[in-house]
Amino acid sequence: MEFDLSWIFLGLPLAFGLGWFASRFDLRQMREENRRAPKAYFKGLNYLLNEQQDQAIDAFIEAVQNDPDTTELHFALGNLFRRRGEYNRAVRVHEHLLSRGDLSRADRERAQHALALDFLKAGLLDRAEDALRRLEGSAFEGQARMALLAIYERSRDWPQASDIARRMHDAQQGDFSTRLAHYLCEQALALAAHGELPAAQALLEQALATAPQAPRARIELARLQQRQGQPEAAFDTLQALAQAAPAALPLAAPLLVETATATGQAPQAQALLQHHYEVMPSLDLLEAVVALEAANANTAAVGREWYVRHLEREPSLVAATKWLAGETLTHEQFHPQIQRALEQAAKPLTRYRCAACGFEARQHFWQCPGCQTWDSYPARRVEEL
Ligand SMILES: [Zn+2]
């Protein structure tokens, strides 16, 4: 018994000693690691300054393994690589972050978002879509949905785009009704191009119900009705357009003339066009008024007075060129050359221009081919802007 007690007396200090030694050892190891981590940063920085970026990344990865606090350094690096167009490296950095088990939820979402941006910038849309879908329910949900919408629009996947837009609309992330109507119109046009006219019409009517204030569905519907041999219906649709969205009437002015002439409603169309022309003296409305007047009077000379009236209000090269085309000059033999030069000069003025990016085009676009913005083309020509 005594013998055992003496062992305990001896053992206690020994245990203390061992514990003290172990704690010293841990501390030394910790200091060693802390010293090692800054060393890895500097090694990485050195590589970076020497433009040895692969080695720099390896050094930084080593640093982050030794010290989890280097997360910010990884984000900075990843963004740097993405900005430089080095998408593989950006992906590598962000995937490495995501593979770590000790990452906070906020940092994990941030890394997932950064990874999605890498794929987007690299043009790897399938992988970007997958990465963005993982952000549903995260702090980046709104941004991710916008990016997904852009992907689906670019690939003309209108049902998927509609699904996202509807979710954003329901979550009150903005009013997406006009955009949803555009998607329906796009699908309707695709059907109409394949001759499926009744199905196209059903979609256009749905688009009209989705966004009654938007002009596109009415214009496309009138075109479709005219194509189906229903000029009366088309004329009625355009009259409704003039009521609901008068600013867009110039886009449909030639069709209005066509349907009015076909249905014997030229006087009504003329009154409608003149009324809107008085409110907004647009070149397309002017052109339609001239066409109807000339057809009525059976002579182009009557219509041409409208160009002079327009010139009294607006100093328009387009209108002046059109008026001059029907004029007889003192030196008539030079008229063709003069006319050609004027028409050449007036041509760029008849283009449409995107209000968001300034991209100009001969035809009107509902979505700008330059910057992908919807409804950024006013229904007015460059000369009228
Ligand atoms: Zn644009």
Side-chain angles (χ1 to χ4, degrees):
M1 200 62 186
E2 273 176 28
F3 178 77
D4 284 343
L5 273 173
S6 68
W7 265 111
I8 288 169
F9 287 132
L10 271 173
L12 271 174
L14 192 69
F16 266 119
L18 280 172
W20 178 81
F21 182 74
S23 70
R24 293 289 302 166
F25 183 76
D26 277 354
L27 268 176
R28 206 179 304 153
Q29 199 179 15
M30 243 170 70
R31 278 195 207 129
E32 185 80 7
E33 277 175 7
N34 280 346
R35 261 207 305 276
R36 224 169 34 217
K39 217 160 134 190
Y41 300 146
F42 290 127
K43 207 164 79 184
L45 193 62
N46 197 25
Y47 280 130
L48 205 59
L49 290 171
N50 287 323
E51 299 196 344
Q52 291 170 285
Q53 283 155 347
D54 276 331
Q55 288 94 327
I57 289 192
D58 290 339
F60 286 132
I61 285 176
E62 188 193 324
V64 87
Q65 276 166 345
N66 292 331
D67 182 0
D69 292 341
T70 54
T71 314
E72 285 302 328
L73 178 69
H74 262 69
F75 279 120
L77 254 180
N79 290 345
L80 173 79
F81 286 142
R82 190 195 314 126
R83 269 212 314 276
R84 288 165 53 92
E86 296 179 44
Y87 304 120
N88 279 344
R89 284 175 167 160
V91 166
R92 213 169 118 197
V93 170
H94 293 131
E95 277 182 341
H96 174 78
L97 269 175
L98 280 172
S99 70
R100 277 175 43 191
D102 60 339
L103 211 60
S104 70
R105 189 193 154 107
D107 279 341
R108 180 165 298 282
E109 290 176 356
R110 207 173 137 202
Q112 184 68 42
H113 181 241
L115 186 66
L117 292 181
D118 297 339
F119 290 138
L120 263 181
K121 290 275 180 184
L124 300 169
L125 298 188
D126 282 359
R127 297 183 72 181
E129 184 188 338
D130 184 49
L132 289 166
R133 286 221 173 253
R134 285 170 202 263
L135 287 164
E136 197 69 16
S138 78
F140 294 92
E141 188 181 75
Q143 291 174 50
R145 283 175 173 176
M146 278 311 283
L148 273 172
L149 208 55
I151 290 180
Y152 295 137
E153 284 183 4
R154 217 186 304 173
S155 52
R156 305 182 70 75
D157 187 343
W158 306 117
Q160 292 261 46
S162 304
D163 177 49
I164 297 283
R166 206 166 297 120
R167 259 193 268 170
M168 292 179 86
H169 190 86
D170 293 344
Q172 286 170 351
Q173 286 176 305
D175 182 1
F176 286 82
S177 60
T178 310
R179 215 187 272 214
L180 281 164
H182 276 304
Y183 298 159
L184 288 164
C185 289
E186 292 288 345
Q187 293 174 80
L189 289 187
L191 286 174
H194 288 101
E196 295 175 50
L197 304 189
Q201 181 156 346
L203 284 182
L204 289 177
E205 275 157 11
Q206 204 181 320
L208 193 53
T210 306
Q213 77 289 351
R216 186 183 182 181
R218 289 185 208 271
I219 295 177
E220 307 287 13
L221 185 62
R223 283 185 188 143
L224 194 73
Q225 285 163 333
Q226 174 73 351
R227 189 176 155 190
Q228 286 175 300
Q230 304 160 358
E232 292 90 357
F235 185 75
D236 291 347
T237 305
L238 292 178
Q239 274 188 312
L241 169 77
Q243 199 78 46
L249 190 61
L251 296 175
L255 186 60
L256 187 72
V257 172
E258 203 184 318
T259 52
T261 313
T263 55
Q265 296 182 87
Q268 289 94 316
Q270 186 71 312
L272 184 79
L273 285 165
Q274 280 183 28
H275 165 71
H276 286 281
Y277 175 80
E278 291 306 325
V279 178
M280 184 181 66
S282 136
L283 283 171
D284 289 288
L285 295 183
L286 172 72
E287 198 62 7
V289 167
V290 171
L292 273 179
E293 192 113 321
N296 235 11
N298 280 325
T299 163
V302 181
R304 285 179 57 245
E305 286 168 18
W306 277 92
Y307 291 129
V308 182
R309 271 187 244 175
H310 186 81
L311 287 168
E312 282 162 9
R313 296 175 73 154
E314 312 270 334
S316 162
L317 182 64
V318 176
T321 306
K322 291 196 167 166
W323 173 80
L324 200 71
E327 195 61 12
T328 314
L329 302 186
T330 315
H331 303 288
E332 187 55 26
Q333 70 272 30
F334 304 129
H335 198 166
Q337 294 93 306
I338 304 285
Q339 194 62 37
R340 214 167 36 241
L342 283 172
E343 276 166 13
Q344 191 79 6
K347 215 175 192 177
L349 301 175
T350 60
R351 291 189 191 136
Y352 294 98
R353 184 190 289 151
C354 170
C357 75
F359 189 91
E360 287 185 10
R362 268 161 61 189
Q363 73 176 94
H364 176 271
F365 286 102
W366 295 106
Q367 187 187 23
C368 174
C371 67
Q372 316 295 322
T373 309
W374 290 97
D375 294 309
S376 60
Y377 277 84
R380 301 172 74 75
R381 310 284 177 163
V382 166
E383 193 183 47
E384 308 169 277
L385 295 175

